[in-house]
Amino acid sequence: MSRTPSRPSSGPAERPSGPSAKKPSAKKQSAKKRPAKKRSALTPRRLAAAGAVLALVVALVAAGIAIGENSGSGTRHVAGSDGSAPSADPQQKVYAELDRAAARRQDGDALAVGKADAPVVLVEYADYQCSYCGKFTRDSQPELIKKYVDEGVLRIEFRNFPIFGKDSERAARASWAAGRQGKFWQFHDEVYAKTRKGDALAEDKLTDMARTAGVADLDRFRADLNGPESEAAVKKDQEEGYSIGVKSTPSFLVGGQPIAGAQPLDVFESAIARAKAAKQGGK
């Protein structure tokens, strides 16, 4: 899968730290008792996802890859990014299970772009205070949309995964609120146009960004931002991420294959090529 003999390393990613962190480390979790109210019962779909990820983690750790691990700005080069045929991946069955568990493919999903029946789905888990999430949005996403989404090959589904506290949660709810008026992607790109943290994501600043993004009814935007539906939608995305082992942002699934961090464009292209070939081979 890799052209280099060394263990593949993930690209830039961000983890929560300090008092605003949403999740403690695995070591700390084992030392403390979890509050009983934290998680709702898993649905059969979630159980399937969790089981698939458990198998995936076991297999990938043996290959030197861990979901959501940040090991600096290393670059991976994967066969297929230069136009050559992607090599068969022994973990493809696990990727397929994870893809079925995570990809929603819902018509009318405001947080998705691309055809619902596109061969490949890229699911992104991101936080609006994450600088590397912004880097992906500015550098790689436009190229992926132009080359793959517009050609009907790829669908991108965004998941709000706020890990840096209340400001991140407010921005996540605001993006969902913008989506209620058909302006999710315009708002999303406006927030990520530059790195914004803390007070830059206060409600009045988010409202200004919504105005710039073309959200027509700002009173409705504010009501949706602060309403229970936006809170529930963000929580659903967040719990999905935790249930499949997401630890840092940005984290991606491309046809079920985990990619951690703002990797170079060729890494995403290789994963898309493999996922497309696997889909066509399965027909």
Side-chain angles (χ1 to χ4, degrees):
M1 188 166 75
S2 172
R3 290 179 179 168
T4 60
S6 60
R7 287 164 60 131
S9 59
S10 61
E14 292 191 6
R15 291 171 176 268
S17 61
S20 64
K22 293 297 291 182
K23 281 279 175 179
S25 68
K27 191 173 182 180
K28 287 182 182 176
Q29 281 182 336
S30 63
K32 305 187 197 181
K33 197 172 182 182
R34 268 191 188 169
K37 64 178 185 178
K38 272 287 184 187
R39 292 291 179 94
S40 58
L42 289 176
T43 63
R45 181 180 172 86
R46 288 235 179 112
L47 284 170
V53 172
L54 180 59
L56 177 63
V57 170
V58 171
L60 294 188
V61 166
I65 306 171
I67 299 175
E69 289 297 325
N70 173 24
S71 57
S73 57
T75 300
R76 286 197 290 142
H77 296 285
V78 188
S81 62
D82 58 356
S84 62
S87 58
D89 193 321
Q91 304 305 327
Q92 190 56 53
K93 280 189 177 181
V94 181
Y95 297 158
E97 287 296 322
L98 190 52
D99 182 54
R100 282 191 288 271
R104 295 175 185 169
R105 294 183 177 275
Q106 295 173 348
D107 287 325
D109 184 351
L111 277 64
V113 60
K115 298 191 305 181
D117 62 351
V120 184
V121 177
L122 181 156
V123 182
E124 177 188 6
Y125 298 87
D127 182 302
Y128 283 108
Q129 291 192 92
C130 166
S131 58
Y132 293 125
C133 300
K135 178 176 174 58
F136 170 79
T137 296
R138 293 187 297 271
D139 297 350
S140 298
Q141 181 180 280
E143 293 300 315
L144 293 176
I145 289 175
K146 180 180 178 182
K147 188 172 181 179
Y148 299 104
V149 175
D150 290 348
E151 295 301 314
V153 173
L154 181 69
R155 173 179 174 86
I156 298 175
E157 297 185 355
F158 185 86
R159 304 284 190 267
N160 276 303
F161 194 71
I163 55 176
F164 296 113
K166 295 297 183 184
D167 296 314
S168 293
E169 291 172 2
R170 185 186 310 110
R173 294 198 309 269
S175 72
W176 182 88
R180 295 274 277 182
Q181 299 186 52
K183 297 295 182 181
F184 168 79
W185 289 103
Q186 293 86 339
F187 180 84
H188 167 278
D189 292 351
E190 178 64 24
V191 177
Y192 278 138
K194 63 180 182 180
T195 300
R196 304 178 194 270
K197 296 181 183 286
D199 290 344
L201 297 173
E203 185 172 328
D204 60 333
K205 301 293 179 55
L206 292 167
T207 302
D208 288 342
M209 284 184 268
R211 181 183 294 108
T212 301
V215 175
D217 189 338
L218 295 178
D219 288 336
R220 179 188 173 192
F221 168 79
R222 282 186 288 264
D224 286 339
L225 187 165
N226 292 299
E229 288 182 90
S230 65
E231 183 179 3
V234 171
K235 185 178 180 182
K236 177 182 177 182
D237 286 358
Q238 196 173 36
E239 288 187 342
E240 176 187 291
Y242 285 133
S243 76
I244 64 171
V246 175
K247 301 176 185 175
S248 60
T249 56
S251 288
F252 306 88
L253 296 174
V254 179
Q257 178 188 340
I259 295 177
Q263 295 284 351
L265 182 62
D266 70 308
V267 173
F268 291 97
E269 291 180 330
S270 297
I272 292 167
R274 280 196 301 276
K276 182 182 177 185
K279 182 77 71 172
Q280 291 172 338
K283 287 182 179 179

